[in-house]
Amino acid sequence: MNAYTRARYDIVLECVREANVPHGGRLLEVGCGDGALAGVLHCRLGLPVTGVDTSEKGLLLARQMFASHGFAGEFKLIESYDTGLKDACFNTVVCSDVIEHVGDPRAMLREILRVLVPSGRLIIPTPIRFSEAPVDPMHVQEWFVGDFMALCREVFGEPLKVIQSHPVFWYELVSSGNPWIGRAGRLLTNFLTKIGRNPFMERDGAWRCYTTQTLVLAKPAVTKSQAS
């Protein structure tokens, strides 16, 4: 149980469900890592999952986990933004907490756009920027909400949905440098999650400052004039 990660996964699940992937539709996770989120998506939605990542070690763990549980999925190693996948072959793409790690986010967005079917959805969570330099040294860059929307709008157009979640209060509590406060915070948030009130799921509630933004984007539909 990790309330912070659980909320991130549950929000992605909610957004994928709203995408109404058709029977026989395909789901891609870009930056799938060890396949933890891919496994959750497969279990909860019953969809076969394709995952791509630049880490061979992560993909090895993903393959082992899927094989041991009998899950339907495949995982592919990539070296850059080019996935090598066919045009317009996925109904939905998930790219969770990945874009802040890449040097050319527009190139990644354009590649995702290419592999999506017309009107296909992209669910893309990323941390909200709070300082001049990224708080996490592993991040290449972070964005304020408006700046991230503007970046995604360049490639996909206006977002269908923007979610701000994971209140700063709870984040600071569970990540406190004081081990006693941090442990108490984790116990509290995990307990609240177990009874169905995960505080990291909060949006537009009592706490107005959030740490995560999630955008739902859609590939423009092909019009008859464009098709001809």
Side-chain angles (χ1 to χ4, degrees):
M1 170 63 70
N2 180 312
Y4 186 95
T5 301
R6 173 70 177 271
R8 184 160 60 87
Y9 287 8
D10 283 348
I11 289 171
V12 169
L13 277 164
E14 170 193 313
C15 294
V16 175
R17 284 196 182 100
E18 291 176 354
N20 292 320
V21 180
H23 179 71
R26 301 183 67 194
L27 175 65
L28 171 68
E29 185 182 3
V30 174
C32 62
D34 61 5
L37 177 55
V40 172
L41 291 168
H42 175 71
C43 286
R44 300 283 188 89
L45 304 174
L47 294 170
V49 180
T50 298
V52 297
D53 203 285
T54 58
S55 169
E56 183 62 66
K57 290 182 179 179
L59 293 175
L60 177 62
L61 291 172
R63 293 186 188 110
Q64 290 174 344
M65 186 264 288
F66 266 60
S68 66
H69 289 83
F71 293 167
E74 59 179 342
F75 298 92
K76 178 182 178 181
L77 181 68
I78 59 175
E79 294 183 358
S80 62
Y81 305 105
D82 182 7
T83 63
L85 300 167
K86 295 180 179 179
D87 292 354
C89 58
F90 290 94
N91 302 87
T92 302
V93 175
V94 171
C95 184
S96 180
D97 286 53
V98 173
I99 195 169
E100 65 274 9
H101 294 275
V102 305
D104 190 347
R106 289 173 181 82
M108 190 177 75
L109 289 172
R110 287 192 293 268
E111 175 65 3
I112 291 172
L113 183 73
R114 183 185 68 79
V115 302
L116 272 172
V117 302
S119 301
R121 302 279 182 92
L122 166 62
I123 294 95
I124 183 163
T126 189
I128 293 174
R129 178 178 175 180
F130 282 97
S131 58
E132 183 174 351
V135 174
D136 188 330
M138 297 292 289
H139 293 174
V140 176
Q141 54 193 316
E142 296 170 349
W143 294 269
F144 297 118
V145 177
D147 293 338
F148 190 57
M149 289 175 62
L151 169 70
C152 294
R153 191 183 291 121
E154 291 179 23
V155 180
F156 278 85
E158 197 66 28
L160 300 178
K161 188 173 186 178
V162 180
I163 298 171
Q164 295 179 56
S165 62
H166 293 69
V168 168
F169 172 81
W170 294 104
Y171 173 77
E172 293 289 352
L173 185 63
V174 301
S175 61
S176 172
N178 184 309
W180 294 101
I181 294 175
R183 186 168 187 272
R186 289 188 290 274
L187 288 171
L188 175 59
T189 55
N190 289 344
F191 170 75
L192 291 172
T193 300
K194 283 182 177 292
I195 64 173
R197 299 188 63 182
N198 189 335
F200 290 112
M201 291 287 289
E202 182 177 307
R203 315 167 206 173
D204 301 323
W207 312 104
R208 297 292 180 178
C209 195
Y210 302 93
T211 64
T212 295
Q213 55 188 324
T214 302
L215 269 60
V216 179
L217 308 166
K219 181 174 181 175
V222 177
T223 64
K224 290 183 179 179
S225 60
Q226 289 173 325
S228 59

